[in-house]
Amino acid sequence: MTDETKYTRQTVTSVHTWVPDKLFSLRVTRDRAFEFLPGQFARVGLPGSEAPDGPPTLWRAYSMVSAPGENALEFYSIVVPEGEFSPRMARLAPGDALYIDKTPFGFLTLERFAPGGDLWLLASGTGLSAYLSILRDESVWQSYERIILVHGVRTAAELAYRAEIEAMRGRPGGAQLVYLPIATRETLPGMPRARITTLIADGGLERLAGRTLDAETAKVMLCGNPAMLADARKLLGDRGFKPGRRGIPGNLAVENYW
């Protein structure tokens, strides 16, 4: 993609490092014409290494962390050491350019569901991004009885945005949020050391949330690595969860964040 009518040049305004050389977030300016739904992603571009001052030739998909009403765009990323894109993105500093496709993409949005019941947001790693955009938007708090956010990571250091999420419980209506940070390589206070899929299979996730994964009333979003998604989809499919089709709302929405 090199057609300048398809993208805009935006400017990095801030960078936040969560785990050095591994996890970071950055904020960039936002074109006024760029509109998106909470949960969607953008195609983000950089010039190739052979022409660093040239037009963008490398493109990757990143969910917006920011809500649609914010003036900036925010993205959360892992650094893939051998990758062509993320290490360069991690080296950006305020004032540098980042290119944004004018068209948002993705269907991990609340429009996939009928309102009411419980909303389960299950993420591994940087799959958390889309859910932050959803939680930062006012509409979600008015549409569901309970919101259960499950973030699966390896270690506590990888629980990016944890303070912000926990602070959400102090906002009006925030008591309906259940936040379950789950680590696989260390034990967090009050949490088991386990994978999300293990907790779905043995009922542990429901016990921690104090809610049942009932296909009649619950809606589930999945966002993360392919292995987690494949296993979770099967486990939830066996319990009656399935995506919508032909305009009929479902109770399962999935985004491969890889």
Side-chain angles (χ1 to χ4, degrees):
M1 179 187 298
T2 58
D3 186 347
E4 294 185 15
T5 65
K6 295 182 179 179
Y7 62 81
T8 63
R9 181 187 188 279
Q10 300 303 314
T11 303
V12 176
T13 58
S14 65
V15 180
H16 182 94
T17 299
W18 298 100
V19 178
D21 301 318
K22 185 172 185 179
L23 295 170
F24 69 97
S25 298
L26 55 78
R27 289 177 69 84
V28 303
T29 55
R30 176 180 175 180
D31 183 74
R32 291 183 179 181
F34 184 77
E35 297 183 354
F36 64 93
L37 296 172
Q40 287 190 306
F41 63 87
R43 283 170 55 84
V44 175
L46 287 170
S49 57
E50 70 285 351
D53 297 322
T57 56
L58 302 174
W59 294 88
R60 298 292 186 272
Y62 282 92
S63 293
M64 270 69 71
V65 171
S66 43
E70 295 183 45
N71 293 326
L73 294 177
E74 184 173 349
F75 302 101
Y76 172 44
S77 178
I78 189 170
V79 179
V80 180
E82 68 278 11
E84 190 176 16
F85 193 92
S86 62
R88 293 184 58 201
M89 186 176 174
R91 291 193 294 269
L92 294 177
D96 289 340
L98 188 68
Y99 298 85
I100 310 293
D101 190 312
K102 291 183 178 181
T103 304
F105 299 89
F107 300 99
L108 196 72
T109 65
L110 297 182
E111 280 68 21
R112 308 287 286 182
F113 302 139
D118 293 341
L119 176 66
W120 292 72
L121 307 174
L122 310 185
S124 63
T126 53
L128 177 72
S129 302
Y131 301 152
L132 291 164
S133 180
I134 289 170
L135 292 172
R136 287 181 179 182
D137 189 66
E138 293 295 326
S139 61
V140 69
W141 302 92
Q142 303 163 11
S143 301
Y144 299 94
E145 296 173 18
R146 286 287 188 278
I147 303 169
I148 300 99
L149 173 64
V150 184
H151 188 198
V153 295
R154 294 181 180 182
T155 67
E158 298 174 14
L159 291 171
Y161 296 94
R162 185 176 187 176
E164 177 183 343
I165 295 166
E166 291 176 339
M168 289 177 179
R169 288 185 52 81
R171 52 161 288 159
Q176 72 195 90
L177 175 65
V178 178
Y179 173 47
L180 302 178
I182 307 292
T184 59
R185 296 190 178 178
E186 66 179 276
T187 303
L188 303 178
M191 297 292 166
R193 181 175 173 179
R195 297 183 182 277
I196 292 175
T197 47
T198 300
L199 295 173
I200 294 174
D202 66 12
L205 204 60
E206 292 167 286
R207 291 190 293 273
L208 289 169
R211 310 291 285 188
T212 59
L213 272 166
D214 183 348
E216 293 297 321
T217 57
K219 288 85 177 178
V220 179
M221 287 184 166
L222 295 173
C223 191
N225 68 74
M228 187 276 278
L229 296 186
D231 292 344
R233 285 189 75 159
K234 184 179 187 310
L235 289 166
L236 292 168
D238 291 343
R239 301 179 67 154
F241 287 89
K242 56 186 177 181
R245 57 186 177 82
R246 298 179 182 176
I248 302 173
N251 51 15
L252 179 65
V254 181
E255 189 91 284
N256 188 335
Y257 211 73
W258 228 245

